[in-house]
Amino acid sequence: MKPAPTLIGVFYMMRTVCFVSDRTGVTAETLGHSLLSQFEGLQFRTVTMPFVSTTEEALGVVARINSIAREEQARPIIVCTLVDDRIRAIVKEAHGLFLDFFDAFLAPLETELNMESAHVTGRSTHAGGDPAHSARIDATNFALANDDGSGARDYRSADVILIGVSRSGKTPTSLYMALQYGIFTANYPLTDDELETGKLPAVLAPYTKKLYGLTIKPERLQQIRNERRPGSRYASAQQVQYEVRTAQTLFERIGVPYIDVTETSVEEIASRILDRMSLTRHMRM
């Protein structure tokens, strides 16, 4: 028999990653997760430490990171997006692997542009006077008002209309595209009755160039629907196989581009749609 893993061995199998930021930590999390995804088979425990803007808060972060290092007997990985040099210098003294995104990119940019950066905390999330911020708010309201074919169905104003069977990921993708990129996204569920006709719903006919389909593996769709309505016809293997097959046939017949969302993150789904439909991103600056 193999000996049970030691406590130290267990800790080394799972590494702690600390996302440290002077704002919400979203940037640090996004960049950090992109890096960590390259290390398959290794588990990470993530800890977000946002709004670190004073020396006292920075010292508290150092104490917390050092405590983790002692408990786990392994250096935490510190993903840092702190703008203030003083605050960053304090956190850099923590007992961890320090990865500083601002230091890595700002210094080369300053050299290339021959000027110093502003080093202003929160500059990336400042909403005042930012047209992109207003665009994302308007797009989010639009996505909520045009979710699953509800409400007034203002497809004329939509940048893109997502279509697919129930529970294929239309709503989360619509909201992500609105919140992240300011894309006016509507979505329309293809119902059983509509699929039986083999035709595109009449309400969508004038907007075929705006359509983008979402499809999904029947096995995954059945699992999702069973969580919502266990044991129902809606969640039966026969029903989901029919709906997925018929919807995909419809996409191909009328020339609607589509993506299989089964093992695809919402970030990748949105990126592929934006690229395929040549949509303009409204990014914060």
Side-chain angles (χ1 to χ4, degrees):
M1 294 179 62
K2 293 184 178 179
T6 65
L7 188 59
I8 293 178
V10 172
F11 280 138
Y12 270 97
M13 290 169 60
M14 178 179 289
R15 295 292 293 271
T16 294
V17 182
C18 300
F19 300 121
V20 185
S21 174
D22 48 30
R23 299 302 296 170
T24 62
V26 171
T27 300
E29 290 174 339
T30 302
L31 294 171
H33 281 297
S34 294
L35 292 176
L36 299 177
S37 67
Q38 302 301 311
F39 298 90
E40 297 181 2
L42 186 61
Q43 292 183 316
F44 296 99
R45 180 177 76 94
T46 60
V47 179
T48 301
M49 303 177 184
F51 303 109
V52 182
S53 57
T54 67
T55 55
E56 291 76 11
E57 290 167 341
L59 290 170
V61 164
V62 171
R64 188 176 176 187
I65 292 173
N66 290 348
S67 176
I68 293 172
R70 287 193 301 270
E71 292 175 5
E72 300 184 356
Q73 301 181 41
R75 292 197 306 168
I77 298 165
I78 307 167
V79 180
C80 171
T81 55
L82 294 168
V83 176
D84 191 300
D85 292 334
R86 297 177 302 107
I87 304 300
R88 190 166 65 246
I90 293 173
V91 176
K92 195 172 184 178
E93 295 300 314
H95 297 156
L97 172 64
F98 191 79
L99 302 177
D100 182 0
F101 280 99
F102 275 114
D103 188 49
F105 296 111
L106 278 182
L109 275 173
E110 288 176 338
T111 301
E112 179 66 25
L113 300 176
N114 195 29
M115 66 180 296
E116 291 188 2
S117 57
H119 283 234
V120 176
T121 300
R123 173 64 62 89
S124 63
T125 55
H126 180 60
D130 180 7
H133 175 77
S134 297
R136 292 193 299 275
I137 295 300
D138 292 341
T140 301
N141 290 331
F142 180 87
L144 291 170
N146 291 272
D147 181 49
D148 272 354
S150 62
R153 298 180 177 180
D154 182 17
Y155 297 145
R156 183 184 298 272
S157 301
D159 295 316
V160 61
I161 306 169
L162 305 182
I163 60 174
V165 301
S166 174
R167 313 305 291 180
S168 58
K170 300 181 300 300
T171 296
T173 303
S174 297
L175 289 173
Y176 179 83
M177 292 175 66
L179 285 165
Q180 191 71 16
Y181 300 116
I183 302 297
F184 276 47
T185 310
N187 72 78
Y188 189 96
L190 297 173
T191 65
D192 203 4
D193 291 340
E194 290 169 328
L195 289 171
E196 287 181 0
T197 69
K199 299 179 181 179
L200 188 70
V203 70
L204 297 178
Y207 309 103
T208 54
K209 292 184 178 180
K210 295 184 177 184
L211 300 181
Y212 200 100
L214 302 186
T215 189
I216 187 172
K217 295 286 191 298
E219 298 79 9
R220 177 55 180 153
L221 180 60
Q222 184 180 13
Q223 181 184 18
I224 295 171
R225 289 187 175 183
N226 257 320
E227 293 172 356
R228 185 176 178 87
R229 299 181 194 172
S232 64
R233 174 178 175 273
Y234 170 77
S236 68
Q238 182 178 3
Q239 181 65 22
V240 298
Q241 288 171 3
Y242 164 75
E243 289 186 30
V244 170
R245 181 178 65 251
T246 306
Q248 190 166 323
T249 299
L250 177 64
F251 297 158
E252 293 172 351
R253 186 169 67 251
I254 63 178
V256 172
Y258 64 91
I259 183 174
D260 187 333
V261 304
T262 308
E263 297 180 357
T264 310
S265 67
V266 68
E267 293 88 351
E268 183 177 347
I269 296 168
S271 180
R272 289 184 178 276
I273 293 172
L274 291 170
D275 181 61
R276 176 64 174 77
M277 306 297 281
S278 299
L279 299 174
T280 301
R281 297 163 167 84
H282 299 278
M283 301 294 289
R284 59 172 63 92
M285 294 295 292

